[in-house]
Amino acid sequence: MDETPHILIVDDHRDIRDLLARYLAKQGFRASVADSAAAARKAMQAGKIDLVVLDIMMPGEDGLSLTRSIRENEDIPVILLTAMGEETDRIVGLEVGADDYLSKPFNPRELLARIKAVLRRARTLPRTRDTGKGRLLFDRWILDLGRRELVDENGVAVALSSGEFRLLAALLERPGMVLTRDQLLDLTRGRSAQPFDRSIDNQISRLRKKIERDPRRPELIKTAWGDGYSFAGEVSET
């Protein structure tokens, strides 16, 4: 079986996608190209893709919409290509699930380095059980993965931000595992360029206020001092 990483390049500019495809092929990768979101979906359905390099600005469905769709249905890493100076696109891209971003124009060697880094992180993430789009039951709560909704034992929904939802799902899918902040950043697809990002700590604090009986003495989301966090409660599927 060919284990060479397969990269999908999605860009409506033929010169860019063909240049990148040739460059990555010379670096030992398999490379496929697509000129639109629709073509990208067909490529992902046709064979295993290990990472998508995706331009944000495309006619029709743009890269942000496709990134959101990929994250909801697949576990394929995404690196976004953004226009120079478009900080809003970068922020939104990370919020909807991109793993990294690169501003145009860029050096192909920098893209290569980012591809290798994202693939390396993806390979080292702890494996999860296959929960599909079902529901996870814990304590007095139900997290509906399909509807992306948290409800209590009385069926009352509790509002979660997209980041809080992804963080809670990542913990519930790996009960008992201690996950570092870096791993949680990767699993929640909200990694920024800052190596000591404390956003995970802030999201953990907000989650505890919503699901713990006493947030000051958490029984569900435990802190592993110096390491990260783990989910200590019982989790079942329905």
Side-chain angles (χ1 to χ4, degrees):
M1 180 181 296
D2 187 0
E3 296 185 359
T4 303
H6 189 181
I7 313 299
L8 176 63
I9 303 159
V10 188
D11 198 305
D12 61 311
H13 291 90
R14 180 176 179 178
D15 291 346
I16 293 177
R17 62 178 185 266
D18 288 350
L19 174 66
L20 289 179
R22 289 194 299 269
Y23 177 75
L24 292 176
K26 289 181 180 179
Q27 303 302 318
F29 292 91
R30 296 172 59 204
S32 296
V33 297
D35 61 1
S36 66
R41 286 192 170 89
K42 290 182 180 178
M44 287 185 284
Q45 292 172 356
K48 181 178 182 293
I49 300 295
D50 296 293
L51 183 143
V52 178
V53 176
L54 174 59
D55 185 30
I56 286 182
M57 298 298 293
M58 294 189 299
E61 184 179 4
D62 65 19
L64 294 176
S65 174
L66 181 57
T67 299
R68 185 180 295 108
S69 175
I70 291 173
R71 192 55 57 233
E72 290 176 352
N73 298 287
E74 307 284 351
D75 193 25
I76 302 173
V78 176
I79 296 178
L80 289 176
L81 302 180
T82 70
M84 179 65 76
E86 293 296 332
E87 183 176 5
T88 300
D89 284 345
R90 172 179 66 82
I91 294 172
V92 173
L94 293 174
E95 287 178 344
V96 300
D99 295 81
D100 206 344
Y101 71 94
L102 195 59
S103 297
K104 291 181 176 180
F106 57 87
N107 188 319
R109 291 179 61 186
E110 183 176 3
L111 176 61
L112 176 64
R114 290 175 183 265
I115 287 173
K116 289 181 177 179
V118 170
L119 288 175
R120 184 166 56 247
R121 292 202 307 262
R123 292 190 184 107
T124 59
L125 290 178
R127 295 184 64 82
T128 179
R129 60 188 180 187
D130 183 12
T131 53
K133 294 293 181 181
R135 301 193 303 168
L136 299 177
L137 284 63
F138 65 99
D139 195 50
R140 63 193 191 281
W141 302 99
I142 299 174
L143 184 68
D144 191 318
L145 298 176
R147 299 176 63 180
R148 301 174 71 85
E149 183 179 63
L150 177 68
V151 297
D152 66 13
E153 56 195 345
N154 297 314
V156 178
V158 175
L160 294 178
S161 69
S162 59
E164 290 167 356
F165 168 81
R166 291 193 296 265
L167 178 57
L168 181 56
L171 290 166
L172 293 178
E173 289 172 342
R174 299 162 182 84
M177 293 185 187
V178 175
L179 301 171
T180 68
R181 290 177 178 85
D182 277 350
Q183 288 175 326
L184 287 169
L185 282 168
D186 289 327
L187 288 166
T188 56
R189 308 297 180 183
R191 172 170 292 275
S192 71
Q194 300 299 322
F196 301 107
D197 196 321
R198 309 300 291 186
S199 63
I200 290 296
D201 297 328
N202 295 332
Q203 289 185 3
I204 289 289
S205 178
R206 292 195 295 269
L207 271 180
R208 282 172 169 165
K209 290 177 181 178
K210 293 180 179 181
I211 68 173
E212 297 279 2
R213 297 177 189 275
D214 183 355
R216 294 170 300 178
R217 299 179 178 82
E219 298 179 350
L220 299 175
I221 302 177
K222 294 288 190 179
T223 301
W225 296 108
D227 292 319
Y229 299 97
S230 66
F231 189 83
E234 294 289 330
V235 181
S236 59
E237 302 172 36
T238 182

